[in-house]
Amino acid sequence: MPCSPAEIGSLFLFEKLTPEQLGRLCAAGRVERFEPGPVYTEGEPATCFYVMVEGTVVLYRRVGGDDVEVTRTSQRGVYAGSMQAYLGDRVRQVYNNSMRVTEPTRFFVLPADTFAEIMQDWFPMAVHLLEGLFFGAKSTQRAIGQRERLLALGSLSAGLTHELNNPAAAAVRATATLRERVGKMRHKLAVIAQGSYSPEVMSRLIDIQERTAERVAKAPTLSPLEASDREDTVTDWLDDHGIPEGWRIAPTFVQAGLDVDWLDQVAAAVDEEMLTSAIGWLNYTVETELLMDEINDSTTRISHLVDAAKQYSQLDRAPFQNADVHELLDSTLLMLSGKIGKRIEVVKDYDRTLPRIPAYPAELNQVWTNLIDNAVSAINSAGGEGTLTVRTAPDHDRLLVEFRDTGVGIPPEDRGRIFDPFFTTKPVGEGTGLGLDISWRIVVNKHHGTIQVESEPGDTRFQVLLPLTAVEEEPS
């Protein structure tokens, strides 16, 4: 179609150009009419710069297997296409979105190489500024992204150290106490052996000791009220049989699952003058077993924490693999348990029937970390007490992971910007504004999924949708 310098000069993009410049544009470019349908597709080589003269355009981004509308406008002069042609080969020149028209629409179309040449000729200083802005922003984003990861790593390290310190300290205390109890047990055994006890009595006592140790391993879990009642009963039995400090021994026996029926069996197995020594010996036996259980529990806890750290970091696993999202979520929650604290209730609403999915597990853990961290911050801003619900569910051909918190919520005016780089609602110094941007790029660009948010005060939900099957990786 004919190109009119006067018509394209009426567009806001070109309104400051001279008649000579408008003439060069018309000579180098063309006016083209498009019927309803696609104009260009995301990922194709960016060959043209489009400026709308009249009509309606819709821009889309490819998210997973779907085209998501990002802009719809009828404003004259809006532009799209090869907008970074002036950067040349320093960036990959492809269309970053798809454009369609919904009615017959006219565009002024300029070839990408001509657009780049005109920019260099007419606006050399602006080109240098734009280049600096573009590459500077990229460099800043990478640097702050690394800082964001380091801050997250520091927070995780502090939480992990705190979590490891508790069971480690418990194991050390239990080991020291165990050494003391074993020494007293040896002394008590020597006292018993010095008495005039027949081999039959000693054999019965050793048999009772063995069965007592077995009973400790099967001790039932009692409520505080049940434990208190049973301690009173055992204390009364010990006092009735002349055992000194029955009030101190009774809690240990009750914790080990021993009751008065068991003590009656002990009393029947030994002579009355031997009962006090036998009870003392069995008390050391019970304490020893309980301490060994405590050491076992503490070291098992440490082992689980180390496993969770390995699962979180994925250091010993392939970068891309079929992963169980529940294992990833559990390891992240465990790593962040110190930051979550005791005032926030964590509810896991998992659908365990969901299959493993193809993913980059370490990067998904980064997403979970960012979303959980934001949820904790929102709850803390609302008073520090609340609930974080992590839910998984099927969603057609995708897997849903939802993080729901009872925090302050996201203001409506901010919801459209939360995934923008460097945008943050946190106070100065508490957020870089890259957590959600990184999460968006991992979910959308790396996994071909979607991430979206619904929010109102007391109910904010970040929903991550991931494909159940592998999506062919696009060149980057």
Side-chain angles (χ1 to χ4, degrees):
M1 302 181 66
C3 176
S4 166
E7 183 177 44
I8 66 170
S10 68
L11 305 176
F12 68 85
L13 191 62
F14 304 133
E15 62 185 0
K16 300 296 184 181
L17 298 183
T18 66
E20 291 77 12
Q21 290 174 322
L22 292 173
R24 181 179 174 183
L25 285 177
C26 270
R30 65 187 186 274
V31 174
E32 191 170 347
R33 175 188 171 98
F34 288 84
E35 296 300 321
V39 176
Y40 62 75
T41 302
E42 180 178 347
E44 293 178 345
T47 59
C48 294
F49 177 68
Y50 296 85
V51 183
M52 190 181 75
V53 179
E54 62 176 355
T56 301
V57 298
V58 184
L59 296 182
Y60 297 87
R61 287 299 304 270
R62 173 69 65 171
V63 179
D66 302 319
D67 283 332
V68 178
E69 180 178 326
V70 293
T71 302
R72 179 184 294 259
T73 181
S74 299
Q75 180 183 357
R76 296 180 71 247
V78 295
Y79 51 90
S82 57
M83 293 183 295
Q84 295 171 348
Y86 60 87
L87 296 173
D89 295 336
R90 286 173 291 176
V91 298
R92 186 164 171 259
Q93 296 293 336
V94 296
Y95 292 120
N96 294 323
N97 49 42
S98 299
M99 184 165 70
R100 302 172 187 266
V101 296
T102 59
E103 60 178 314
T105 301
R106 288 191 303 133
F107 290 96
F108 172 70
V109 183
L110 196 62
D113 54 353
T114 304
F115 173 59
E117 181 183 338
I118 288 176
M119 287 287 291
Q120 296 285 354
D121 289 347
W122 293 353
F123 314 109
M125 182 176 177
V127 168
H128 286 306
L129 291 172
L130 289 171
E131 288 176 347
L133 180 64
F134 179 84
F135 291 111
K138 288 285 187 182
S139 177
T140 302
Q141 189 168 339
R142 282 195 299 270
I144 297 184
Q146 290 285 4
R147 177 64 175 170
E148 180 90 2
R149 290 180 172 88
L150 288 173
L151 288 173
L153 180 60
S155 177
L156 289 170
S157 299
L160 181 61
T161 302
H162 174 76
E163 292 296 320
L164 285 170
N165 181 66
N166 290 335
V172 171
R173 289 194 303 269
T175 302
T177 306
L178 179 62
R179 184 186 300 276
E180 178 187 347
R181 293 297 184 270
V182 170
K184 290 184 176 181
M185 183 184 291
R186 288 196 300 265
H187 174 73
K188 184 65 68 175
L189 179 60
V191 171
I192 293 176
Q194 290 172 3
S196 56
Y197 306 121
S198 66
E200 292 79 8
V201 172
M202 291 297 296
S203 177
R204 288 198 300 271
L205 189 57
I206 292 173
D207 178 64
I208 290 174
Q209 182 188 36
E210 292 295 330
R211 289 189 287 128
T212 299
E214 293 175 1
R215 198 176 180 102
V216 173
K218 302 175 183 178
T221 301
L222 303 177
S223 68
L225 183 59
E226 291 172 331
S228 178
D229 291 342
R230 187 169 292 187
E231 286 174 13
D232 290 341
T233 304
V234 171
T235 301
D236 291 341
W237 188 97
L238 294 172
D239 291 342
D240 292 342
H241 288 77
I243 307 299
E245 295 188 324
W247 57 270
R248 185 182 61 82
I249 298 174
T252 303
F253 280 5
V254 170
Q255 185 181 353
L258 306 185
D259 52 22
V260 293
D261 293 335
W262 183 257
L263 294 174
D264 285 336
Q265 295 180 41
V266 175
V270 299
D271 296 333
E272 184 175 349
E273 66 275 10
M274 186 184 180
L275 182 60
T276 298
S277 295
I279 291 294
W281 190 29
L282 291 179
N283 180 49
Y284 291 139
T285 299
V286 169
E287 287 184 334
T288 300
E289 291 295 321
L290 292 175
L291 288 168
M292 287 192 293
D293 285 345
E294 184 176 348
I295 293 172
N296 180 69
D297 290 342
S298 298
T299 53
T300 300
R301 171 71 172 163
I302 293 172
S303 178
H304 286 166
L305 286 167
V306 172
D307 287 343
K310 290 173 61 180
Q311 173 71 23
Y312 179 86
S313 65
Q314 297 287 312
L315 289 177
D316 59 345
R317 299 168 187 254
F320 185 80
Q321 59 179 284
N322 286 325
D324 183 343
V325 294
H326 303 111
E327 292 179 356
L328 304 181
L329 291 167
D330 286 341
S331 65
T332 305
L333 286 168
L334 183 55
M335 294 291 288
L336 292 173
S337 58
K339 186 165 191 175
I340 293 172
K342 299 182 181 298
R343 300 177 65 192
I344 298 177
E345 179 186 4
V346 177
V347 177
K348 299 178 183 179
D349 183 10
Y350 292 168
D351 182 348
R352 295 285 187 178
T353 64
L354 290 169
R356 302 171 75 89
I357 61 170
Y360 295 87
E363 299 198 27
L364 284 184
N365 282 339
Q366 176 80 35
V367 175
W368 312 151
T369 299
N370 293 336
L371 297 182
I372 292 171
D373 181 71
N374 285 346
V376 171
S377 296
I379 294 173
N380 287 336
S381 297
E385 292 187 1
T387 302
L388 169 63
T389 303
V390 183
R391 181 171 72 94
T392 63
D395 187 281
H396 303 293
D397 59 343
R398 297 183 294 182
L399 183 149
L400 168 68
V401 181
E402 180 183 79
F403 298 84
R404 178 183 181 186
D405 69 73
T406 57
V408 293
I410 304 171
E413 62 272 17
D414 291 338
R415 289 175 203 161
R417 304 176 59 200
I418 59 174
F419 294 108
D420 293 347
F422 309 111
F423 177 79
T424 179
T425 58
K426 295 179 181 178
V428 175
E430 292 187 16
T432 61
L434 282 179
L436 290 179
D437 170 56
I438 291 171
S439 299
W440 191 91
R441 286 188 280 115
I442 290 173
V443 172
V444 176
N445 296 344
K446 197 87 172 182
H447 290 85
H448 306 279
T450 62
I451 181 170
Q452 55 200 30
V453 61
E454 300 173 2
S455 182
E456 60 183 45
D459 186 6
T460 296
R461 307 182 187 198
F462 278 89
Q463 297 174 328
V464 177
L465 289 159
L466 300 168
L468 294 173
T469 55
V471 178
E472 183 177 351
E473 184 73 20
E474 298 177 1
S476 58

